[in-house]
Amino acid sequence: MQMHWNEARAAIRAEYARIGQSEAGEPPPGAFDRRRWDRLVQAGLWRMVVPPEHGGAGVDWWSFTAALEGLASTIRHPGLVLSVIGQAGMVRALELYGTEAQRRRYLRRILAGELSATAIADPDTGTDVRATSSILAPGPNETFVLNGAKHNIAHAGIATMVLIVCKLAGEGREGISLVLVDTDRPGLRAGPPDHKLGNADLPTGRLEFDAMALDYGDLLGEPGRGLGNLVNIVSLGRLYYGLVGGWLLEPALAEALDYAQRRQTFGVPILDHQYVQKKLTDIRIGIETSRWTAYGALHQLLGGAPEAAMSCSIAKIAGADTVIAAAVDLLRLHGSDGYHEGRVSGFLRDAMAFASVGGTDEMHRRNIMGQMLRLHRRAQVAPVAAQPMRVAG
């Protein structure tokens, strides 16, 4: 397990922290941060996890994690970090389940900076994937037709490729399948951008599929096996949401420490009050808890541990709880000034996205319980299977 960053990874972390810290040429409010995204591409972010045969360097996911952590620890708006996590999910999807033709087609485009999207939630069923109403029906000559809609999709209006979760016609709650297509495919239509409470720099929206023609080359992985494959894909994003949920607090915590030493009440700096110290130390504890939980989950995921999916959900909850609770406490710490339009109130709006991005708290607790029961049953069976067979004499 990664216990500290070696010299090379520490340098990577520092490089991407500088990119996050750079505020020159900030995009207009509500616009995707294309300038900083292009800097990430030029710095070689995606080369770390794309294999050499497809134009990358094929370093490893730990080096990528160091870069992501550095970016999250200095950037002031989380939208770009969430975009990076979504793109990492597409790389992992191709790594695990893409055909050689799909990898050739899409990985070089990711290296060039093209954006991807992942369409999971339906307008009517949300993230209950088995109940999706996006239906993949058979067509003539080994083709398919997809009808349905998805919403709350990051990059819906600006992505050039999209991974779609759907269900084979007539399969009930089973038959989940994954489809990967270009967004200019006939029959695919993007809706208007969403208007959200925060994270305006992360464009989200709706996609609709109207008799969209597909063939076997558009399927990612085996049809009907998509649910298990999807869990393996999104687990990486879940632990990364947990990791960045903590580290996004780093600049705000530094400013809060300065503010607490400068601001006085009753003749002393507010930092001298125990309740203020508790709020600030709780933020530090949350950052470290999110960090180490995410590291552990990544170690398990890359190693194929049976409890990896559970740990990734735990990491996501830890990071989300940390960033939301801390954002509220920071606003309270700044009093009425914090409630005014500015960095503190803006951070609270952005932080609230972690209540749902990557899955709600309720969804993850359901997943954790399911994994707990599965591991419990496996533990009960294992001792029985390990007993030596007795031979009657």
Side-chain angles (χ1 to χ4, degrees):
M1 176 177 168
Q2 183 78 41
M3 299 300 291
H4 67 279
W5 298 125
N6 60 27
E7 185 176 349
R9 289 170 181 159
I12 290 171
R13 189 187 188 284
E15 177 185 5
Y16 285 86
R18 288 190 291 272
I19 293 176
Q21 200 168 32
S22 171
E23 296 186 7
E26 284 284 327
F32 178 71
D33 193 349
R34 179 68 67 174
R35 180 192 64 84
R36 210 184 256 121
W37 178 265
D38 289 342
R39 283 196 61 186
L40 295 175
V41 173
Q42 292 161 10
L45 178 62
W46 302 112
R47 294 188 72 249
M48 294 184 207
V49 287
V50 171
E53 60 267 28
H54 296 294
V59 185
D60 56 33
W61 282 105
W62 282 108
S63 296
F64 177 87
T65 302
L68 178 63
E69 183 178 293
L71 180 67
S73 70
T74 57
I75 203 164
R76 300 313 305 235
H77 302 286
L80 185 68
V81 178
L82 301 182
S83 291
V84 169
I85 294 173
Q87 192 87 326
M90 182 63 76
V91 175
R92 181 162 172 80
L94 288 163
E95 172 187 70
L96 291 176
Y97 305 111
T99 64
E100 189 58 29
Q102 288 171 328
R103 291 172 185 155
R104 284 198 307 269
R105 179 174 183 178
Y106 292 109
L107 287 175
R108 290 188 180 274
R109 289 165 58 183
I110 288 173
L111 287 171
E114 292 188 35
L115 279 160
S116 66
T118 301
I120 299 176
D122 287 52
D124 52 344
T125 59
T127 53
D128 182 2
V129 174
R130 289 187 180 90
T132 180
S133 55
S134 296
I135 303 300
L136 189 65
N141 302 319
E142 296 187 335
T143 62
F144 300 93
V145 176
L146 179 63
N147 286 283
K150 300 289 182 179
H151 74 155
N152 290 335
I153 307 166
H155 313 143
I158 58 176
T160 62
M161 63 195 85
V162 57
L163 177 64
I164 306 163
V165 180
C166 54
K167 181 171 58 178
L168 293 171
E171 292 293 330
R173 292 177 64 85
E174 304 303 324
I176 300 303
S177 302
L178 304 178
V179 169
L180 178 58
V181 297
D182 292 343
T183 54
D184 62 358
R185 178 68 63 94
L188 191 156
R189 182 174 64 255
D194 296 330
H195 297 285
K196 308 186 298 290
L197 175 67
N199 289 294
D201 57 331
L202 177 67
T204 63
R206 177 183 175 110
L207 292 177
E208 297 179 352
F209 320 112
D210 183 11
M212 186 168 71
L214 304 167
D215 58 41
Y216 275 96
D218 298 316
L219 294 172
L220 187 77
E222 185 179 340
R225 299 285 297 274
L227 185 57
N229 295 351
L230 180 66
V231 171
N232 286 338
I233 293 167
V234 301
S235 288
L236 181 71
R238 290 170 177 174
L239 74 89
Y240 277 155
Y241 289 128
L243 179 71
V244 305
W247 281 111
L248 285 166
L249 288 162
E250 199 68 26
L253 177 59
E255 289 181 358
L257 284 167
D258 291 338
Y259 176 81
Q261 294 177 81
R262 186 175 66 249
R263 177 71 182 269
Q264 293 198 357
T265 58
F266 306 108
V268 297
I270 63 172
L271 187 60
D272 290 354
H273 300 305
Q274 286 188 352
Y275 75 92
V276 173
Q277 294 175 11
K278 181 181 185 306
K279 290 182 185 301
L280 296 175
T281 55
D282 280 351
I283 294 174
R284 184 79 256 165
I285 291 168
I287 292 173
E288 296 301 323
T289 300
S290 301
R291 171 191 180 190
W292 292 104
T293 306
Y295 287 171
L298 181 60
H299 175 77
Q300 291 179 343
L301 185 65
L302 297 180
E307 63 271 32
M310 178 178 69
S311 297
C312 291
S313 282
I314 292 172
K316 197 278 175 177
I317 289 177
D321 287 352
T322 290
V323 71
I324 293 170
V328 173
D329 279 344
L330 288 171
L331 187 140
R332 288 172 170 161
L333 180 71
H334 286 80
S336 58
D337 288 343
Y339 190 65
H340 294 171
E341 187 66 37
R343 278 188 169 177
V344 177
S345 59
F347 184 75
L348 176 58
R349 287 196 298 269
D350 290 343
M352 290 304 298
F354 282 83
S356 58
V357 66
T360 63
D361 182 272
E362 292 79 7
M363 187 212 77
H364 283 289
R365 290 184 186 278
R366 179 184 176 91
N367 178 54
I368 292 168
M369 178 54 69
Q371 295 294 327
M372 286 170 59
L373 291 172
R374 189 173 295 109
L375 293 169
H376 179 64
R377 295 188 194 104
R378 185 177 299 176
Q380 288 179 318
V381 171
V384 175
Q387 290 180 0
M389 182 175 67
R390 296 181 180 179
V391 180

